[in-house]
Amino acid sequence: MATLAEPRADTDEAFREEVRDFLAKNFPPELKGKGNALASVEGPTQEDAQQKAWREAMGEKGWGVPTWPKEYGGGGLSKKQARILQEEMGKAGAYNPIGGMGVMMFGPTLLESGSEEQKREHIPAIAKGEIRWCQGYSEPNAGSDLANLQTFAEDKGDHYLVNGQKTWTSGGQWADKCFAIVRTDKSDKHNGISFMLIDMDSPGVEVRPIQMISGLSPFCETFFTDVKVPKENLVGKEGQGWTIGKRLLQHERTNISGAGGGGRAMGAAMSEVAKKYAEFDANGEIADKVLRDKVADFEIRWQAFLLTARRAVEESKAAGGVSEISSVLKKLGTKLGQERSELAIEIMGLQGLGWEGEGFSESELAGVRAWLFGKAFTIYGGSTEIQNNIIAKRVLGMLDHQ
C-alpha cells in the first residue's frame, strides 16, 4: 500500500496545525467522548445530524483511513502524520467516525488482492463510511475447520449461482454487502475455495439474527438460495479464496486483539474505574490492597501488550503487511480484554451486577453486557486453540508430531 514519504521534522508542526484547525471547524463539541456507531456490530446505525456531518467531514479528507492511498479516497498520510492526527483527535476528545469490517478487514485485503475496477468501486465508499460490510466465513460444519465450507457457487456463464448457509455473520442484518469465501470446486478442499462479493439485498439472501447471552443479536445465520452473483464480483481468481481469506483473517485478528487501535477504544483505564467505585486511603491509594495489586498488575500487563503490539504491527507493515504474528496478538489481546471486563465488574461491586431497571446507570448496564459479550472474544476470528496451532506451525516452525 503506497503512502507518502515520512515528513521532515519542520513540517510536522504545520501538519499538526492543519489537524487542529480542521478539528476546530468540523468536530462538534457535543460529540466529545462518544464512540463510532459505524464500527459497532451490536446495533443498527442511526446517525443524528451532528454525527453525519462529522463522518462526512472526515470522509471527505480521507482521514478515517489515513494511510490508505489517496487515489481511492484514503488520506494518503505517512505513518508519522497518522500518529499526529490520532494524537490531536485524542486531545480534542474526537473519535474516528469511519470504521467497521470494511475498514478493519475487507478494505486492506481488497487493496492487496482486488482488481483496479474493484478498488475504485468499493474502497471510496468504505473510506467515507457510506457502506456496511459483513463477513461470510463460518458455516454450521466449518468453523475451526473453515476449509470444510460447503456453500457452493456454481458457474453459470456470466454469473455464479450461490447456495448454502453461513453462520455467526456479524452485523449481517444491517450490512449492505458481504465478502464471502465459497466453494467453486468440490474436488479440492483448499484450492476449490474462491473469494467473492455478494449484495445482501440480492433475491435469495435471508438473514436470521441469533440472540446472545448478552441480550444482543449482533450475529446472524445467513442463507443463500439460488443467489445470482456477477462474475466481476470474484476477487482474485477461482481457487485463490483460501489464500485471500487467510490474509483477511490476519487483518481481523490484529484488530480484534486491540493492536490495530481497538485497545484505545476499550474505555477508561482500570485506575479510572477504581476512582469512581473503590475506596481510597489517606495516601490516595486504593484502600483494598488485594484490589490495588490486581489493578496495578493488569495495567502493567495491558500497557506492555499495547507497546509490544505496536512494535510487532510496525515491523510487520515494514515487511509487507500483516503476518502470522497476528495470531500471537489475537491470543494475548483477547485474553487481556476478558480479564479487563472481569476486573471492571469486580471494581464496580454491586453496581456491576445490574442487567436492567432503576438503580444502575447506562454505562454500568453497558459494562455488564460488554463483559458477557466479551466471552466470544477468544472464539471469533479463530479460537484460541486455532491460534495456538498457527503459532506452533507458522511462527515457531514446529511439525505436526511435535
Side-chain angles (χ1 to χ4, degrees):
M1 185 184 306
T3 59
L4 297 180
E6 291 290 331
R8 297 183 307 174
D10 58 0
T11 64
D12 291 351
E13 194 56 33
F15 179 70
R16 193 178 293 278
E17 284 300 320
E18 179 186 346
V19 174
R20 289 172 179 166
D21 183 62
F22 170 80
L23 291 170
K25 292 178 179 175
N26 294 281
F27 180 65
E30 295 81 2
L31 297 183
K32 187 175 182 179
K34 293 190 176 181
N36 179 1
L38 276 175
S40 173
V41 297
E42 300 172 15
T45 301
Q46 294 178 331
E47 296 175 305
D48 60 29
Q50 291 176 327
Q51 291 171 321
K52 184 172 185 290
W54 173 231
R55 176 177 56 78
E56 290 177 343
M58 282 287 281
E60 192 63 33
K61 293 284 284 186
W63 284 359
V65 284
T67 60
W68 287 15
K70 206 171 184 62
E71 61 265 36
Y72 302 121
L77 302 183
S78 67
K79 287 183 287 187
K80 190 171 186 179
Q81 288 175 318
R83 286 197 295 273
I84 291 173
L85 172 63
Q86 190 175 64
E87 289 170 3
E88 292 304 317
M89 289 178 65
K91 292 176 185 176
Y95 64 91
N96 185 346
I98 313 291
M101 293 186 186
V103 173
M104 291 171 56
M105 310 177 208
F106 176 60
T109 306
L110 193 68
L111 285 169
E112 293 175 352
S113 304
S115 67
E116 184 64 21
E117 293 75 15
Q118 289 169 336
K119 293 176 189 176
R120 293 198 178 279
E121 178 182 356
H122 298 296
I123 297 296
I126 296 173
K128 291 186 176 181
E130 295 175 340
I131 192 168
R132 199 162 176 171
W133 287 84
C134 65
Q135 180 184 36
Y137 268 40
S138 296
E139 298 182 3
N141 293 310
S144 295
D145 184 13
L146 184 58
N148 191 44
L149 63 91
Q150 298 300 315
T151 295
F152 189 64
E154 183 180 3
D155 190 337
K156 289 291 187 180
D158 64 343
H159 67 274
Y160 293 99
L161 199 63
V162 178
N163 283 281
Q165 177 189 355
K166 297 292 180 181
T167 191
W168 307 119
T169 316
S170 303
Q173 67 270 58
W174 304 300
D176 304 293
K177 293 179 182 291
C178 175
F179 51 87
I181 47 177
V182 299
R183 185 160 297 287
T184 48
D185 183 351
K186 297 181 180 179
S187 67
D188 191 310
K189 182 173 183 179
H190 293 91
N191 294 323
I193 295 174
S194 298
F195 192 105
M196 60 181 58
L197 314 177
I198 302 174
D199 289 340
M200 292 299 284
D201 60 358
S202 299
V205 177
E206 181 185 0
V207 180
R208 300 177 188 172
I210 303 170
Q211 187 165 17
M212 308 292 289
I213 189 175
S214 62
L216 303 172
S217 299
F219 303 114
C220 303
E221 293 177 293
T222 304
F223 298 86
F224 301 100
T225 304
D226 292 336
V227 177
K228 288 185 177 179
V229 177
K231 280 287 184 69
E232 56 264 31
N233 285 14
L234 178 71
V235 177
K237 297 179 180 177
E238 276 193 15
Q240 290 184 333
W242 186 242
T243 299
I244 297 171
K246 286 193 299 180
R247 186 69 170 171
L248 183 142
L249 285 173
Q250 292 178 344
H251 290 291
E252 179 183 13
R253 288 163 182 162
T254 299
N255 281 285
I256 290 174
S257 74
R264 290 178 291 276
M266 284 191 174
M270 288 297 97
S271 55
E272 294 299 317
V273 177
K275 287 179 182 176
K276 185 174 181 180
Y277 293 98
E279 294 184 4
F280 282 71
D281 62 22
N283 297 319
E285 298 177 335
I286 298 174
D288 185 329
K289 294 181 180 179
V290 175
L291 182 60
R292 186 198 309 166
D293 285 347
K294 287 183 178 179
V295 170
D297 174 68
F298 177 81
E299 291 289 8
I300 290 170
R301 289 187 293 121
W302 179 238
Q303 292 304 320
F305 167 74
L306 290 180
L307 290 171
T308 302
R310 179 176 172 180
R311 175 175 55 78
V313 169
E314 293 296 334
E315 288 177 352
S316 293
K317 287 182 178 178
V322 292
S323 68
E324 286 81 6
I325 294 298
S326 61
S327 291
V328 178
L329 300 179
K330 201 267 182 181
K331 173 184 166 70
L332 296 177
T334 54
K335 183 68 169 59
L336 284 169
Q338 290 179 334
E339 287 186 31
R340 182 191 183 284
S341 294
E342 297 276 357
L343 183 55
I345 294 295
E346 182 176 347
I347 294 171
M348 291 162 64
L350 291 176
Q351 294 307 113
L353 299 178
W355 180 252
E356 61 186 5
E358 297 180 357
F360 301 97
S361 69
E362 186 176 331
S363 63
E364 289 167 348
L365 297 175
V368 174
R369 291 174 185 255
W371 163 56
L372 291 170
F373 181 78
K375 301 299 181 185
F377 286 172
T378 50
I379 300 175
Y380 63 62
S383 67
T384 294
E385 289 73 18
I386 293 294
Q387 305 316 312
N388 287 340
N389 199 29
I390 294 172
I391 293 167
K393 289 185 176 180
R394 306 299 181 191
V395 179
L396 301 178
M398 298 175 70
L399 303 177
D400 286 339
H401 66 278
Q402 291 179 302

